């Protein structure tokens, strides 16, 4: 899409981050989770650590419970989910993610839909991919299709989770995510 691979500064040492993969589905199991498998392979193939992996039903309490557990874990820097971002009655992943966000990364969903638009046209409007931060942990919710997970990782996350990506990336600001806001400046 943007040629972000040309924005990698090879003079900066790579920093692996700890990433957990969450599949949200009422019909899949870990044995047949192609999207989760794709994300796990991409995460590890790009040099990051697969810190954990889980599958939960498309249920608000189940999703927020798993997210809360991983947010509290000091050895997990990033959570990427697949599934539950559509428009049907059971699709509640964005609502669950937003319930735990301290801050939403609005641009993540916008860029995801831009990338997706180039491939599936206006059907991308049905995607409710979201990203945010909670207590210093990055959280990204992708649709359940393997192609959507491939697009989300290959076109966005692989670069933003690479400290060598310039002019900026998510990794370089990780130490500052939990800074307190000085209310006097507001």
């Amino acid at each position: 899409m943007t040629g972000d691979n040309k924005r990698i500064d090879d003079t900066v040492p790579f920093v692996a981050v700890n990433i957990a993969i969450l599949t949200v589905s009422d019909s899949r199991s870990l044995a047949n989770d192609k999207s989760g498998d794709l994300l796990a392979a991409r995460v590890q193939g790009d040099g990051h650590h697969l810190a954990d992996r889980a599958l939960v039903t498309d249920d608000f309490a189940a999703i927020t419970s798993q997210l809360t557990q991983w947010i509290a874990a000091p050895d997990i820097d990033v959570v990427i989910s697949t599934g539950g971002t559509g428009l049907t009655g059971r699709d509640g992943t964005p609502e669950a993610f937003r319930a735990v966000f301290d801050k939403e990364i609005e641009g993540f969903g916008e860029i995801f839909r831009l990338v997706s638009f180039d491939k599936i046209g206006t059907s991308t409007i049905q995607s409710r991919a979201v990203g945010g931060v909670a207590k210093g942990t990055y959280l990204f919710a992708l649709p359940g299709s393997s192609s959507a997970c491939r697009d989300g990782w290959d076109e966005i996350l692989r670069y933003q989770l690479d400290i060598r990506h310039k002019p900026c990336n998510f990794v370089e600001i990780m130490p500052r995510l939990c800074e307190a806001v000085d209310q006097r400046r507001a």
Side-chain angles (χ1 to χ4, degrees):
M1 180 191 127
T2 61
D4 274 359
N5 57 339
K6 296 176 185 169
R7 297 175 188 235
I8 299 296
D9 181 350
D10 289 323
T11 65
V12 175
F14 179 78
V15 174
V17 296
N18 299 313
I19 301 173
I21 304 295
L22 177 63
T23 299
V24 178
S25 178
D26 291 334
S27 60
R28 294 185 197 169
S29 69
L30 287 177
N32 66 4
D33 179 19
K34 292 179 182 175
S35 295
D37 289 344
L38 181 140
L39 286 170
R42 291 265 200 293
V43 161
Q44 293 173 307
D46 281 339
H48 297 290
H49 302 292
L50 182 61
D52 203 357
R53 186 167 169 191
L55 187 143
V56 298
T57 58
D58 216 335
D59 173 79
F60 183 88
I63 298 166
T64 56
S65 175
Q66 184 62 68
L67 291 175
T68 301
Q69 180 183 344
W70 280 341
I71 291 165
D75 59 338
I76 294 180
D77 304 312
V78 179
V79 175
I80 304 171
S81 76
T82 174
T85 63
L87 297 172
T88 71
R90 293 285 299 159
D91 291 324
T93 301
E95 290 77 13
F97 271 60
R98 286 187 175 112
V100 300
F101 284 166
D102 295 327
K103 293 184 178 182
E104 186 164 353
I105 305 169
E106 290 87 353
F108 176 76
E110 294 165 358
I111 295 298
F112 177 82
R113 284 180 283 282
L114 176 65
V115 167
S116 184
F117 182 79
D118 288 344
K119 298 176 181 177
I120 64 169
T122 59
S123 295
T124 192
I125 202 163
Q126 295 185 38
S127 167
R128 297 185 309 133
V130 297
V133 179
K135 295 178 179 50
T137 302
Y138 288 112
L139 307 166
F140 302 100
L142 295 170
S145 76
S146 293
S147 61
C149 290
R150 184 178 304 106
D151 291 345
W153 180 263
D154 291 356
E155 302 288 338
I156 306 167
L157 292 174
R158 81 175 325 171
Y159 298 111
Q160 282 300 298
L161 295 175
D162 189 333
I163 198 165
R164 303 170 302 167
H165 184 268
K166 300 301 175 201
C168 57
N169 59 75
F170 292 142
V171 179
E172 65 191 358
I173 61 172
M174 284 172 68
R176 299 181 53 212
L177 292 177
C178 292
E179 289 177 341
V181 176
D182 184 348
Q183 294 300 319
R184 294 172 294 188
R185 294 185 305 192

